[in-house]
């Protein structure tokens, strides 16, 4: 297809089996990573620094973020942007906050989430540089309560994602996210309560626990039901 032929043209100077093996390696990696690769990965595949710069100049590689390139063509989808942001922040970085919630499916992805400025990534405290276009959150024990991978993108656990949302959203939005996480069988309220007890004092933990213990947090299947519940409690 088009992408495959573009990958094959990345290094027209290399011939025979050497070029074929290299091209296959780039194709497999780019396909797994939603069309993006890092400079370090290209070097590991056998490309030299000058070769990388040459392919940037002739349009075979397209810089997306510092040290991260789109392969073959400059356009990448939402998953590509998210993957690029995580890769740009290092091997332990995780997609987090609103971006993680969108990937998990517990909150609707907004059109602006596609832009680099809206990609949220969490990293270990003191272990990251500022990255233009990425909202970097620094936190100790940032992989608690266990990192996950969705569509091969490293991402915060659903519990951590909900905690991060609780530090930023309104009560009704948080309740809707908790209900959706339960509906998707990612984590239910009882599991969430137990998990919160084991977490450090992250921003959002106390607020989320308070909402879980409140009178209106009830499992619902639709937004309409969620909005109706407070009224039902008021007249009950």
């Amino acid at each position: 297809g088009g992408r495959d032929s573009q990958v094959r043209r990345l290094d027209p100077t290399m011939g025979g089996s050497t070029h074929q093996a290299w091209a296959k390696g780039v194709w497999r990696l780019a396909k797994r990573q939603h069309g993006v690769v890092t400079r370090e990965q290209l070097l590991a595949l056998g490309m030299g620094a000058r070769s990388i710069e040459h392919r940037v100049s002739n349009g075979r590689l397209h810089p997306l973020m510092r040290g991260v390139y789109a392969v073959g063509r400059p356009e990448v989808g939402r998953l590509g942007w998210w993957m690029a942001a995580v890769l740009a922040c290092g091997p332990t970085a995780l997609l987090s906050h609103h971006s993680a919630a969108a990937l998990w499916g517990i909150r609707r992805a907004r059109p602006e989430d596609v832009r680099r400025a809206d990609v949220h990534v969490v990293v270990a405290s003191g272990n990251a540089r500022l990255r233009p276009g990425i909202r970097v959150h620094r936190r100790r024990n940032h992989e608690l309560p266990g990192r996950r991978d969705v569509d091969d993108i490293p991402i915060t656990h659903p519990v951590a994602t909900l905690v991060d949302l609780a530090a930023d959203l309104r009560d009704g939005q948080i309740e809707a996210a908790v209900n959706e996480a339960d509906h998707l069988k990612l984590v239910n309220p009882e599991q969430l309560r137990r998990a919160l007890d084991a977490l450090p004092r992250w921003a959002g933990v106390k607020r989320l626990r308070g909402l879980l213990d409140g009178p209106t947090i009830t499992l619902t299947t639709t937004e309409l039901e969620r909005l109706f519940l407070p009224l039902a409690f008021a007249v009950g």
Side-chain angles (χ1 to χ4, degrees):
R3 169 80 70 171
D4 206 7
S5 62
Q6 288 165 329
V7 172
R8 287 197 299 269
R9 293 198 302 270
L10 273 169
D11 196 345
T13 65
M14 297 178 66
S17 60
T18 302
H19 169 236
Q20 187 178 25
W22 185 91
K24 285 182 178 179
V26 174
W27 168 242
R28 286 194 297 266
L29 184 61
K31 185 177 181 180
R32 187 171 70 248
Q33 295 181 166
H34 307 288
V36 303
V37 296
T38 69
R39 180 181 179 86
E40 288 76 12
Q41 289 170 337
L42 292 173
L43 292 171
L45 284 169
M47 289 188 67
R50 292 180 62 183
S51 295
I52 293 173
E53 295 306 315
H54 175 68
R55 283 153 185 80
V56 170
S57 67
N58 67 18
R60 308 305 188 195
L61 294 171
H62 303 271
L64 295 179
M65 301 175 184
R66 185 172 180 176
V68 183
Y69 308 94
V71 176
R73 55 181 134 183
E75 301 86 7
V76 296
R78 184 178 65 191
L79 294 176
W81 279 119
W82 287 340
M83 177 65 87
V86 172
L87 290 173
C89 291
T92 65
L94 306 175
L95 195 73
S96 68
H97 294 73
H98 298 282
S99 302
L103 183 53
W104 279 119
I106 61 179
R107 271 182 64 78
R108 292 179 182 176
R110 302 165 296 178
E112 57 267 30
D113 284 334
V114 177
R115 299 201 307 266
R116 286 176 292 172
D118 295 304
V119 179
H120 293 258
V121 175
V122 64
V123 299
S125 296
N127 195 30
R129 295 169 289 179
L130 291 177
R131 296 286 185 176
I134 307 173
R135 293 190 185 184
V136 179
H137 305 268
R138 295 172 178 81
R139 184 166 62 204
R140 292 182 180 179
N141 301 320
H142 73 295
E143 292 189 344
L144 292 176
R147 61 162 277 178
R148 293 291 186 269
D149 291 87
V150 176
D151 288 328
D152 289 315
I153 299 175
I155 186 174
T156 52
H157 190 283
V159 170
T161 303
L162 289 169
V163 168
D164 291 334
L165 292 180
D168 191 45
L169 297 179
R170 298 189 301 273
D171 287 358
Q173 293 173 314
I174 301 168
E175 291 174 4
V178 171
N179 287 330
E180 191 62 25
D182 179 74
H183 179 67
L184 294 172
K185 301 188 184 303
L186 298 174
V187 60
N188 65 46
E190 288 305 316
Q191 293 170 330
L192 186 54
R193 284 188 183 93
R194 293 194 297 269
L196 292 180
D197 292 336
L199 290 182
R201 294 183 179 180
W202 292 346
V205 168
K206 182 177 180 180
R207 186 166 178 226
L208 185 54
R209 184 181 289 115
L211 286 172
L212 288 170
D213 293 338
T216 62
I217 188 73
T218 304
L219 298 183
T220 63
T221 57
T222 68
E223 181 71 4
L224 181 61
E225 290 175 357
R226 187 191 68 77
L227 293 173
F228 175 75
L229 279 172
L231 297 176
F233 278 104
V235 300

